[in-house]
Amino acid sequence: MSPPAASAVHQSRFSHGFETLQQLARDVLAHAEKGGASACEVDVSDGFGQSVTVRRGEVETIEYNRDKAIAVAVYLGQRKGQASTSDFSSSALRETVEAALNIARFTAADPCAGLPEARLLAIDSQSLPDLDLYHPWLLSVEAAVDLAQRCERAAFAVDPRVSNSEGASVSSQEGHFVSANSLGFMGGYPTSRHYLSCSMIAGKDENMQRDDWYSIARDAQAIGSPELIGERAAQRALARLGARKIKTCKVPVIFEAPLASSLIGNFVHAVSGGSLYRKTSFLVDSLGKRVFARKMQISERPHLARGLASGYFDSDGVATHDREVIVDGSLQGYFLSAYTARKLGMQTTGNAGGCHNLVVHPGKRNLSGLLKKMGRGVLVTELLGHGVNYVTGDYSRGAAGFWVEGGEIVHPVEEITIAGNLRDMFRNIAGVGNDVLVRGSKQVGSLLVEQMKVAGA
């Protein structure tokens, strides 16, 4: 499988052409077969990137990276060995394969180890769409500095109370890869990811608050105006001035869109193969059962053009497909790799390496509409700490945001803790916003949870 949009532009920007990566993969497979491996899989990658950070108008950091790697996994029956190298020389390939074979010889056999079934691999590329994942950004260091300075300058111009900056950053990463195995699978393509962020501080002395905003996209043209990103960061910091504690209470809570994806991430973790076969999840044996409110619909869409988590195949080489994960609140499928599927006596879902563009179907209300529906409660705009127990589902996180009365924001709040149980929180989602923010593998608007304990003063 060659990259659908392979071009002279992408070939010339990398240290090694796509055909070279393919040949390196073939060489590794050949060395593994010669060394006695019963099966082998290999990933070859090559990429580079540039990051610039400006603070208070001055350049703070300029970083440039150029990376390459070969990762090899070999099997001696059901014994597995892994090794990797950043050296692409012929001798290094042989030594890396031999290292993996030596590890396999001393590894206990695992009845679930091995490559996926050949029929599940993404070998036929004829009907695959162009995912449009590669958009090179011909950005000089000077131009990157200028973008960051414009972003930060716009933030300072919003209000005199914007008193300091944690910096504005511009980052661009490009790479291409080839994955292959001894069952005849070989696939790969180029990708890009570009990023612009700004973090500002408002207020002075004891009354200071910070907040940020950022945009990320495959195509730099989709990032948006640096001035708008800077202004948004400043406005968010200003809105938090005068934050106060509130008394402990039980009220509805809205997770703002940038944070709502973390709740969906909690769900994905709980229904992923590793958690399920180890029985370290509160959602063990939940297939076919209702785990969310009936209004919740969640789909996986691996083939979205320019999607931040799009891909033709997973880390095992298994072809990806559209599927419905949650229908009317009920769980239709787990997130399984070939290995975890065997541990559970099931079939892989093509999720080795994670989920692919998980889309939570939006409701009709925007954030303002959700605030009105909630009436009285807390809008959470920042989460602190990692207080999630996946065995029990208990959830407790430090938070900051805004107190809401009569469907309107009254004042900012800080130094609070929100607590509940994910099982109850998922089933008690009363609203899904249409303010969807795409920043990663989960696409979701703000989420209104009917009731949580909010611990304050």
Side-chain angles (χ1 to χ4, degrees):
M1 183 194 301
S2 297
S7 67
V9 174
H10 113 249
Q11 297 282 7
S12 65
R13 286 176 65 77
F14 298 114
S15 299
H16 303 273
F18 188 75
E19 294 77 12
T20 301
L21 301 190
Q22 289 178 311
Q23 188 57 53
L24 288 166
R26 292 189 193 99
D27 291 345
V28 166
L29 294 175
H31 289 317
E33 183 179 18
K34 186 176 180 180
S38 56
C40 176
E41 52 193 347
V42 56
D43 292 293
V44 188
S45 61
D46 174 29
F48 63 93
Q50 172 183 284
S51 299
V52 169
T53 299
V54 165
R55 182 175 175 274
R56 297 189 68 87
E58 298 296 325
V59 177
E60 193 160 76
T61 60
I62 298 174
E63 297 179 5
Y64 187 80
N65 64 283
R66 186 170 285 277
D67 306 299
K68 59 179 183 176
I70 295 179
V72 182
V74 298
Y75 297 88
L76 295 173
Q78 292 179 316
R79 292 175 292 162
K80 180 180 180 181
Q82 295 173 285
S84 63
T85 181
S86 59
D87 186 345
F88 282 10
S89 68
S90 296
S91 59
L93 296 190
R94 288 192 298 271
E95 290 167 3
T96 303
V97 171
E98 186 56 40
L101 286 166
N102 285 334
I103 293 170
R105 292 185 184 105
F106 292 96
T107 299
D110 184 337
C112 295
L115 301 181
E117 296 177 55
R119 64 182 179 83
L120 300 176
L121 297 172
I123 292 176
D124 181 11
S125 62
Q126 299 304 310
S127 60
L128 292 176
D130 180 1
L131 299 184
D132 199 20
L133 302 181
Y134 181 65
H135 294 266
W137 196 6
L138 307 178
L139 186 71
S140 67
V141 171
E142 293 79 11
V145 169
D146 180 62
L147 280 174
Q149 288 174 332
R150 285 167 53 193
C151 183
E152 189 185 54
R153 196 159 50 239
F156 275 119
V158 168
D159 190 292
R161 292 174 296 167
V162 179
S163 56
N164 207 340
S165 167
E166 290 187 341
S169 298
V170 178
S171 175
S172 177
Q173 300 291 324
E174 299 175 31
H176 65 164
F177 74 99
V178 165
S179 293
N181 65 34
S182 52
L183 293 177
F185 165 73
M186 181 174 288
Y189 40 87
T191 65
S192 60
R193 190 175 290 248
H194 311 299
Y195 171 89
L196 176 57
S197 70
C198 187
S199 179
M200 303 303 293
I201 298 170
K204 60 181 181 179
D205 301 329
E206 298 301 313
N207 183 25
M208 298 177 72
Q209 296 287 345
R210 64 155 299 281
D211 213 321
D212 57 43
W213 197 251
Y214 71 91
S215 179
I216 185 170
R218 297 286 189 183
D219 183 354
Q221 298 299 316
I223 287 178
S225 160
E227 285 81 9
L228 290 178
I229 291 172
E231 289 169 6
R232 187 75 178 269
Q235 289 162 356
R236 290 174 67 86
L238 287 164
R240 294 177 63 163
L241 289 175
R244 60 183 97 156
K245 297 180 182 179
I246 56 175
K247 292 184 178 180
T248 296
C249 55
K250 283 190 175 182
V251 291
V253 170
I254 292 176
F255 290 80
E256 190 189 25
L259 305 181
S261 61
S262 71
L263 275 187
I264 303 305
N266 296 146
F267 157 69
V268 172
H269 181 97
V271 293
S272 289
S275 299
L276 296 171
Y277 84 74
R278 295 186 185 97
K279 297 192 180 299
T280 55
S281 168
F282 67 98
L283 290 180
V284 167
D285 298 326
S286 292
L287 201 61
K289 299 177 182 177
R290 189 164 72 84
V291 297
F292 277 98
R294 295 189 189 279
K295 65 180 66 201
M296 288 288 286
Q297 320 288 335
I298 304 180
S299 305
E300 189 171 31
R301 297 290 183 259
H303 301 156
L304 294 181
R306 303 189 185 187
L308 291 172
S310 291
Y312 299 107
F313 48 84
D314 71 357
S315 298
D316 288 332
V318 172
T320 53
H321 302 282
D322 286 355
R323 66 179 181 131
E324 307 311 310
V325 178
I326 296 290
V327 175
D328 298 333
S330 295
L331 180 63
Q332 307 299 304
Y334 295 137
F335 294 88
L336 308 177
S337 65
Y339 179 80
T340 59
R342 290 190 189 111
K343 294 288 283 187
L344 293 165
M346 305 177 75
Q347 180 173 295
T348 174
T349 58
N351 289 109
C355 62
H356 309 280
N357 300 321
L358 213 57
V359 179
V360 179
H361 296 210
K364 297 180 180 179
R365 293 180 174 86
N366 57 16
L367 178 56
S368 178
L370 284 183
L371 290 173
K372 288 181 171 57
K373 178 179 175 65
M374 178 173 70
R376 177 177 181 269
V378 174
L379 166 63
V380 174
T381 59
E382 183 179 22
L383 289 170
L384 306 166
H386 302 280
V388 180
N389 184 328
Y390 285 102
V391 177
T392 63
D394 288 340
Y395 182 97
S396 180
R397 303 281 303 272
F402 299 89
W403 180 252
V404 177
E405 291 274 6
E408 300 288 340
I409 290 174
V410 178
H411 61 78
V413 297
E414 62 182 0
E415 296 182 28
I416 61 172
T417 300
I418 57 172
N421 185 280
L422 286 170
R423 189 188 300 274
D424 300 326
M425 291 163 62
F426 291 160
R427 292 173 66 93
N428 292 328
I429 290 177
V432 183
N434 60 16
D435 55 333
V436 179
L437 190 64
V438 181
R439 285 179 168 176
S441 60
K442 291 97 178 168
Q443 303 182 15
V444 56
S446 298
L447 293 175
L448 168 58
V449 178
E450 281 184 354
Q451 191 174 77
M452 295 185 70
K453 181 176 181 180
V454 179

